[in-house]
Amino acid sequence: MQIFFSPYSPFVRKCLITAWELGLHERVELLPSNAHPVQRSQALVAINPLGKVPTFYTDEQQVLYDSRVICEYLDALAQGEIFPRQLGPRMQALTLQALGDGMLEACLLARYEEVARPAAYQWADWRAAQLDKVRSGLAHLEPQVAQLAQRVDIGTITLACVLWYLDLRFAAYGWREQYPELAAWYAAFSQRGSMRHEWALAPGG
């Protein structure tokens, strides 16, 4: 199996953490990529019309995208429970994944407003509105942290990727001070081997 890889993509990270938790990480080869929202990689476009990472090859050379599809494939392949099988826990995990993915997409839009859009066309209110989605998501989760304890599923993996990306790209946001219960949960979750693998420790850039 192969995955087009960027050490700074939270969605790639989500897939790799899932693979590690399922014992599949040694079977996944990392392929370097140059995905960019404006200067699109034609090598990626040739196999994924969206030209985005993560893009994934199965052992049978089937192309999969995006992270939701890739993670579900890995879970099915390993016969795991990153996607819980019981209906209630499954819906809980999928809903948290949807919230986390939405927060990550908002983070990326906010970052692209700064690094991809020419300065003359940047819209501060747009960027602030994207980050407000992150704020409201974290505020929603803060009183529910007890429900996350001992859970390792697609929802908590996605949430961990959100908090990692905030540290990487929005250090001034100061989320730990505002959401101490989430900070304590993340400190514990970050000790998992999947969060401390060599690709997971790539420095910020």
Side-chain angles (χ1 to χ4, degrees), residues 15-144:
C15 297
L16 294 177
I17 290 172
T18 297
W20 201 100
E21 292 288 348
L22 293 166
L24 296 174
H25 58 289
E26 293 185 352
R27 292 177 55 184
V28 180
E29 179 186 357
L30 306 182
L31 302 177
S33 67
N34 294 305
H36 189 276
V38 179
Q39 299 164 359
R40 302 176 71 220
S41 166
Q42 294 308 304
L44 273 176
V45 170
I47 57 173
N48 173 354
L50 299 175
K52 297 170 66 175
V53 294
T55 297
F56 184 91
Y57 281 115
T58 69
D59 284 339
E60 295 74 31
Q61 294 298 290
Q62 181 180 8
V63 178
L64 304 179
Y65 45 85
D66 58 5
S67 67
R68 290 166 291 189
V69 175
I70 297 166
C71 290
E72 191 155 0
Y73 169 80
L74 292 169
D75 194 52
L77 182 65
Q79 298 183 335
E81 294 193 9
I82 296 297
F83 290 78
R85 299 179 186 180
Q86 292 186 342
L87 183 60
R90 184 178 182 85
M91 292 301 102
Q92 186 180 43
L94 289 176
T95 300
L96 182 55
Q97 176 186 221
L99 176 58
D101 281 350
M103 294 163 71
L104 284 173
E105 288 163 2
C107 283
L108 289 171
L109 287 173
R111 176 158 175 79
Y112 292 158
E113 189 70 19
E114 285 189 320
V115 302
R117 190 182 298 275
Y121 299 102
Q122 290 178 14
W123 188 6
D125 287 349
W126 165 266
R127 183 177 183 276
Q130 301 311 313
L131 292 178
D132 193 57
K133 296 176 186 178
V134 179
R135 180 205 59 77
S136 59
L138 295 179
H140 171 76
L141 291 170
E142 176 72 2
Q144 303 183 38

Side-chain angles (χ1 to χ4, degrees), residues 149-167:
Q150 310 305 315
R151 279 177 52 188
V152 182
D153 58 38
I154 195 59
T156 55
I157 289 170
T158 306
L159 176 58
C161 291
V162 172
L163 300 177
W164 169 82
Y165 195 71
L166 287 176
D167 283 346

